[in-house]
Amino acid sequence: MRRLMLIVAAVLIAPVLAAAQDVAVPGKASTLSMLQTVIPRDPASAGMGAASSLEAGHSAYSAFSNPGIIPFSGEQMDFSFSWQRWQPKTPASSNNFSMGYAYNSGQKFGAALALSMDRIASYDVADGDGIIRGQYQPSNLAIAAGLSWRFIPELAISVTARYMYSNLYDDISFGAPAFDAALTFGKGMFKAAAGVRNLGKAVDGLYPLPSSAFAAVSAFRRFGKSAVEARLEAEDYFYGAFRFAAGASYSYGMLAARLGCNVGSKSPLGDFVSFGLGFAGYSVHVDAAYLCGNGPINGSLCIGIGFSF
C-alpha cells in the first residue's frame, strides 16, 4: 500500500510541469521525474523561447544550461537571482527561486554554480476515510556545478554535475544525480553548441530523467548603440519527445526587448511564446519574461536581477 501511495503522489504532484508526462520508455514507468531541471531559470533566456544554451550575456545560470559559454563571455564574474511564478493557473503552481554564479578566468576557463528551490502549491491530506486532516506543501531542490575549458580560441568543452531532489510528503522523497557534457564554438558574431543533458539512472529504477541531446546556434551583431541577437535551439529527449526554440533580442543603449517561441512533440515545456524586457548598465542587469501558451505554463512570469563585472 505504501508503495502504491508513493506512486500516486509522484504522478499527482511530483511533476513541476503538468505537460507531457505520459511517455514510452521500455522497462520504465510512464511518468518522468525531476522535471524541475527543464525549467528556464534565466529570465533573459525565458524571454527568448527558453533558448538558453548560448546565453553569453548572463552566464550566471549556465550551470543549468551550458557552462561552455563562460569563456566566450565578456564578463569576469556574473551573479544573478530570479523569482518565478510558474504555471500559475494549475493546481501544481509554484514559486521558484534560483540563483547562479559564473567565473571567467582569462576567457580560457569557466566555472559555474547554481541553485534552485521550488515551493509547489499545497495539497489536501486525507485519512483512510477520506476526511481531510490537513495540507502539505511539496518542494523541489536542484544544485548544479559546471566547468569549462576553452582549449583553442574557437572551441570550449564543458561538463556539469547536478543533484535533484523532490519532497512529496513527510517521508516520501526522491533524489537523483545527473550529468551534462557539451562542446561550444565561438568565432566572431556566431556561436554554436552541442551536447547531452541530464544523463543518469531512472529514479527508484522506474521513473526516467528527462535526458536529452541538444544543438544550438546564435548570432549577435552590434550597430552603434543598437544590438540584435538571434538564437535557434533543438533538443531531442531520449524518451521520444522533441522541442525547438527560437528567440530574438533587440537592445538600444541599456534597454532590451525580447521575443521567442518553443514548440515540440511531447516536450516537457509544451508550446508557448514568450516576451521579455531587460535593462543592463552600471554592472547591473534586470530582466523579466512572460510566457503564453496552450498548456500549464501559460501565464508564467520570471523576474531576475544580476551583477556583472
Side-chain angles (χ1 to χ4, degrees):
M1 175 61 74
R2 174 176 174 77
R3 179 67 175 173
L4 176 61
M5 291 301 295
L6 185 149
I7 293 174
V8 170
V11 172
L12 292 180
I13 65 175
V16 178
L17 306 165
Q21 296 307 307
D22 296 326
V23 300
V25 181
K28 300 288 189 295
S30 61
T31 300
L32 292 174
S33 63
M34 303 303 170
L35 284 175
Q36 66 263 39
T37 190
V38 306
I39 296 176
R41 305 288 175 168
D42 171 25
S45 294
M48 298 178 70
S52 59
S53 297
L54 293 171
E55 181 54 82
H58 297 58
S59 56
Y61 298 100
S62 60
F64 287 136
S65 54
N66 173 28
I69 197 65
I70 298 174
F72 297 98
S73 171
E75 297 108 6
Q76 182 180 11
M77 291 186 292
D78 186 19
F79 174 78
S80 298
F81 174 85
S82 68
W83 166 80
Q84 290 175 315
R85 182 61 175 160
W86 192 250
Q87 54 183 37
K89 302 178 182 180
T90 73
S93 63
S94 63
N95 286 293
N96 304 342
F97 303 90
S98 306
M99 64 180 67
Y101 173 79
Y103 180 75
N104 182 355
S105 178
Q107 295 190 321
K108 189 173 182 66
F109 299 100
L113 182 66
L115 173 71
S116 67
M117 296 173 286
D118 308 331
R119 301 291 290 173
I120 306 170
S122 300
Y123 64 90
D124 293 333
V125 178
D127 61 18
D129 297 322
I131 300 174
I132 295 176
R133 299 297 184 183
Q135 290 190 324
Y136 192 81
Q137 184 175 42
S139 61
N140 291 322
L141 174 71
I143 185 169
L147 297 172
S148 57
W149 172 37
R150 189 177 180 181
F151 56 94
I152 61 174
E154 294 81 16
L155 288 174
I157 190 171
S158 62
V159 292
T160 304
R162 66 169 51 88
Y163 183 79
M164 301 160 289
Y165 176 81
S166 289
N167 175 249
L168 309 181
Y169 193 55
D170 283 333
D171 57 349
I172 300 177
S173 60
F174 294 112
F179 303 92
D180 305 352
L183 187 67
T184 303
F185 167 86
K187 187 175 180 62
M189 60 183 288
F190 298 104
K191 292 182 177 64
V196 290
R197 289 195 180 113
N198 294 314
L199 301 182
K201 294 182 178 180
V203 173
D204 210 27
L206 292 173
Y207 307 102
L209 303 178
S211 304
S212 65
F214 73 92
V217 295
S218 72
F220 177 87
R221 184 71 181 269
R222 186 172 296 279
F223 304 91
K225 293 184 178 181
S226 300
V228 293
E229 183 182 10
R231 299 182 199 167
L232 297 175
E233 184 166 334
E235 191 160 11
D236 184 19
Y237 294 91
F238 296 165
Y239 60 87
F242 181 85
R243 80 175 183 99
F244 177 79
S249 172
Y250 172 78
S251 61
Y252 182 84
M254 298 181 182
L255 302 178
R258 305 178 179 103
L259 176 67
C261 67
N262 185 94
V263 297
S265 171
K266 297 182 180 180
S267 165
L269 286 173
D271 297 343
F272 66 87
V273 295
S274 60
F275 309 89
L277 295 173
F279 166 87
Y282 308 106
S283 300
V284 177
H285 52 84
V286 180
D287 301 284
Y290 184 79
L291 281 60
C292 303
N294 56 8
I297 68 173
N298 181 44
S300 295
L301 174 68
C302 184
I303 300 173
I305 184 171
F307 305 91
S308 301
F309 305 94

